[in-house]
Amino acid sequence: MGALSRPEEVVALVKLRVAAGQIKRQIPPEEHWGFAYSMLQKVSRSFALVIQQLGPELRNAVCIFYLVLRALDTVEDDTSIPTEVKVPILQDFYRHIYNRDWHYSCGTNNYKVLMDKFHHVSTAFLELGEGYQKAIEEITRRMGAGMAKFICKEVETVDDYEEYCHYVAGLVGYGLSRLFYAAGTEDLAPDSLSNSMGLFLQKTNIIRDYLEDINEIPKSRMFWPREIWSKYADKLEDFKYVENSEKAVQCLNDLVTNALIHAEDCLQYMSALKDHAIFCFCAIPQIMAIGTCALCYNNVNVFRGVVKMRRGLTARVIDETNSMSDVYTAFYEFSLLLESKIDDNDPNAALTRKRVDSIKQTCRSSGLLKRGTIWTSHLTSIFCS
């Protein structure tokens, strides 16, 4: 039956396919902009859809910001690049974006194409307004320096984890807030809230991507902090094995509980946004993050394969997220889903309940919860299908 048993998702999927077709028709005619938008679709179809919420000028700036940081991330992720080569590239990347001739061949598949033809991204970057350029340059400089630091340093402590996530995602939150401000549509958000917007997304991805990252070739790159995982295993890769499932899930739950601390900051950030397009752009990924946390929590499948929301449910999130009422309702309902999975024997059960309760109370106190709109219907079949 699949999606046919969920007609509301079928409608949303059809709308999503129509929107994807519209994206192709909106690609600018200039070669460098055509490359930028087509590449965005190839490296992140979901982001390419969400970015369409924005007006043309801001959309161009965010597109280039994303591609610059994706290129920077490609350098960081390529474990075949020697450290003595990689570190200077990361540190100087913010200068390279001003050079129409610069490129560096690394990465695989679409990411290699992005790096080989990076001159198109630089050309588009140089056509942005000065306010956008300065914001992108600043964040690229700070992120590159942070990534370079962690090339030579493992994520040992929870403080290291916070710092690494700040460099690779919190700074994205800073940058987007600065781009929104440069567009003249939003006040400049507090850095603490912008940071949490990035950290919630990043921590969710780090949690979800355990198996992919631990199996990385030629060598694994892991960002689960030793201070947490060492409570449950001698080696991080031990969680892959079935005989360690109980401890693996306990560690997983510990990390999800850690991520939940950012949820209320995210709600505060989104509630202050004025521009509807920017609001939708920000809200959709955050709803996906709280949903993914709920799915991953207490779920041994994180150590067996890919855990993600169904395409139909993702389509609904994109189609139906239009107001803070929608956001509060989604956060509340996914919190209920996560709460229903808490095992009283879990070492962090009390803390998890406390954080979930706090999120639910924030949603209730808004006075904006919708009744009868069930995002998490068919809870047992919410996984990818």
Side-chain angles (χ1 to χ4, degrees):
M1 294 289 287
L4 294 178
S5 64
R6 298 178 285 269
E8 71 282 357
E9 292 184 10
V10 174
V11 173
L13 281 166
V14 170
K15 289 182 178 179
L16 201 61
R17 291 193 181 99
V18 171
Q22 290 174 339
I23 290 172
K24 293 179 181 178
R25 291 193 292 274
Q26 289 174 359
I27 294 177
E30 297 87 355
E31 183 182 10
H32 49 284
W33 283 110
F35 175 83
Y37 278 100
S38 62
M39 186 53 57
L40 184 65
Q41 282 187 280
K42 290 173 182 175
V43 299
S44 181
R45 284 184 296 175
S46 59
F47 191 82
L49 283 166
V50 173
I51 202 177
Q52 296 305 310
Q53 307 286 338
L54 304 175
E57 181 183 295
L58 182 57
R59 183 169 65 228
N60 285 347
V62 173
C63 173
I64 297 306
F65 182 48
Y66 183 92
L67 291 177
V68 166
L69 299 188
R70 178 56 70 185
L72 185 65
D73 187 59
T74 299
V75 175
E76 185 210 21
D77 281 349
D78 192 331
T79 52
S80 70
I81 304 174
T83 298
E84 64 273 17
V85 175
K86 180 181 291 189
V87 168
I89 294 174
L90 294 173
Q91 291 172 329
D92 292 338
F93 208 89
Y94 73 99
R95 294 191 177 100
H96 299 321
I97 61 178
Y98 285 95
N99 182 352
R100 296 176 193 266
D101 298 322
W102 185 85
H103 64 92
Y104 182 78
S105 187
C106 65
T108 59
N109 302 321
N110 289 321
Y111 300 103
K112 185 177 188 303
V113 176
L114 172 63
M115 298 305 298
D116 286 343
K117 298 186 177 182
F118 192 77
H119 62 280
H120 287 311
V121 179
S122 297
T123 299
F125 168 78
L126 291 169
E127 292 183 1
L128 299 176
E130 184 178 1
Y132 295 132
Q133 288 185 11
K134 292 301 180 187
I136 294 171
E137 177 192 344
E138 177 200 356
I139 300 306
T140 305
R141 176 181 59 79
R142 293 169 67 178
M143 186 179 292
M147 285 178 168
K149 177 178 179 178
F150 277 91
I151 292 299
C152 309
K153 173 184 172 68
E154 293 293 324
V155 179
E156 297 283 347
T157 67
V158 173
D159 285 345
D160 289 341
Y161 184 48
E162 297 294 321
E163 184 181 13
Y164 174 76
C165 290
H166 165 71
Y167 283 134
V168 301
L171 287 174
V172 179
Y174 282 25
L176 287 172
S177 293
R178 283 156 173 72
L179 293 178
F180 301 156
Y181 180 71
T185 51
E186 300 290 347
D187 297 328
L188 186 59
D191 282 348
S192 60
L193 299 185
S194 299
N195 191 58
S196 280
M197 288 285 284
L199 262 63
F200 192 41
L201 300 182
Q202 181 66 20
K203 288 182 177 182
T204 300
N205 289 340
I206 286 173
I207 292 165
R208 182 198 62 199
D209 293 343
Y210 167 85
L211 195 63
E212 178 183 340
D213 289 343
I214 203 75
N215 290 330
E216 181 73 27
I217 301 296
K219 62 179 181 177
S220 62
R221 292 271 342 257
M222 284 304 299
F223 304 102
W224 287 27
R226 181 184 296 271
E227 184 178 338
I228 290 180
W229 65 255
S230 63
K231 293 186 288 184
Y232 307 97
D234 293 327
K235 294 184 293 184
L236 188 52
E237 56 265 32
D238 289 348
F239 294 142
K240 287 195 299 183
Y241 306 115
V242 174
E243 60 268 25
N244 299 320
S245 293
E246 181 179 355
K247 291 296 184 181
V249 168
Q250 289 177 354
C251 182
L252 168 67
N253 293 347
D254 200 334
L255 284 165
V256 171
T257 301
N258 171 280
L260 293 177
I261 201 168
H262 302 292
E264 289 169 86
D265 276 354
C266 294
L267 290 170
Q268 185 178 344
Y269 180 101
M270 290 183 283
S271 68
L273 294 171
K274 305 170 187 175
D275 183 271
H276 182 259
I278 290 175
F279 166 78
C280 293
F281 170 79
C282 292
I284 291 167
Q286 297 297 331
I287 292 176
M288 297 296 293
I290 189 70
T292 301
C293 281
L295 296 181
C296 288
Y297 184 82
N298 213 38
N299 186 353
V300 73
N301 289 313
V302 170
F303 306 97
R304 305 287 180 264
V306 179
V307 173
K308 62 180 181 179
M309 290 164 60
R310 290 192 310 267
R311 288 182 64 242
L313 187 58
T314 298
R316 276 194 65 200
V317 170
I318 294 172
D319 182 49
E320 298 179 25
T321 301
N322 290 297
S323 68
M324 273 309 295
S325 180
D326 298 323
V327 172
Y328 284 126
T329 301
F331 268 65
Y332 185 81
E333 293 188 355
F334 281 121
S335 295
L336 285 176
L337 171 59
L338 195 155
E339 183 179 43
S340 72
K341 299 167 70 178
I342 297 175
D343 182 345
D344 288 335
N345 295 318
D346 186 88
N348 293 283
L351 181 57
T352 308
R353 287 190 191 281
K354 180 180 178 182
R355 293 200 173 150
V356 168
D357 284 344
S358 187
I359 295 168
K360 286 164 55 186
Q361 179 56 36
T362 297
C363 295
R364 279 195 300 263
S365 64
S366 72
L368 296 173
L369 279 183
K370 291 184 175 181
R371 301 299 179 189
T373 302
I374 308 299
W375 288 89
T376 53
S377 57
H378 311 285
L379 297 186
T380 58
S381 61
I382 206 169
F383 299 99
C384 177
S385 64

